């Protein structure tokens, strides 16, 4: 029996997990500042993502144990994936391929 909760996540949350996962795969091993994440997301989509929506999505992902939140040296909010977040990102990537 799978002990992980089934969590419904929004399209924005899916994109966040995929971006963080891809950055890890490329060797980015530190927490990513939220504003940098916002810039990456807005560069990749034709519809702007608003900072408030992103922060709400990140808080939800954190509550579900998919990301960790940090304050970096500048006291800005930064995030990184948890093991559960990596597994969820892999599952999303698999869904996109199938």
């Amino acid at each position: 029996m799978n002990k992980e909760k089934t969590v419904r996540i929004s399209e924005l949350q899916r994109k966040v997990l995929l971006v963080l996962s891809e950055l890890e795969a490329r060797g980015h091993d530190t927490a990513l500042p939220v504003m940098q994440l916002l810039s990456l997301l807005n560069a990749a989509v034709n519809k702007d993502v608003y900072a408030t929506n992103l922060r709400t999505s990140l808080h939800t992902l954190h509550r579900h144990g998919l990301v960790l939140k940090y304050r970096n040296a500048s006291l800005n909010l930064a995030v990184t994936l948890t093991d559960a977040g990596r597994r969820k990102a892999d599952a999303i990537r698999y869904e996109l391929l199938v």
Side-chain angles (χ1 to χ4, degrees):
M1 179 180 260
N2 189 0
K3 296 205 180 227
E4 282 187 31
K5 291 190 283 186
T6 305
V7 177
R8 284 185 38 159
I9 60 174
S10 70
E11 188 63 30
L12 176 56
Q13 292 165 347
R14 291 168 61 95
K15 289 176 184 174
V16 166
L17 292 175
L18 288 173
V19 166
L20 291 174
S21 175
E22 184 62 29
L23 286 173
E24 278 188 0
R26 293 180 182 201
H28 187 275
D29 57 350
T30 60
L32 184 68
V34 171
M35 295 313 292
Q36 188 175 352
L37 176 60
L38 180 64
S39 295
L40 289 171
L41 290 168
N42 280 332
V45 297
N46 55 2
K47 184 178 173 185
D48 281 347
V49 174
Y50 296 103
T52 53
N53 292 347
L54 178 59
R55 281 192 297 274
T56 300
S57 291
L58 290 171
H59 290 306
T60 302
L61 289 170
H62 179 259
R63 193 171 52 248
H64 290 302
L66 300 173
V67 298
L68 294 175
K69 296 187 299 185
Y70 299 97
R71 292 286 173 179
N72 63 13
S74 303
L75 298 179
N76 295 322
L77 185 63
V79 293
T80 188
L81 288 175
T82 62
D83 289 337
R86 286 181 197 91
R87 287 191 298 274
K88 188 69 169 177
D90 289 342
I92 293 167
R93 190 173 291 109
Y94 178 76
E95 288 174 13
L96 292 174
L97 293 175
V98 173

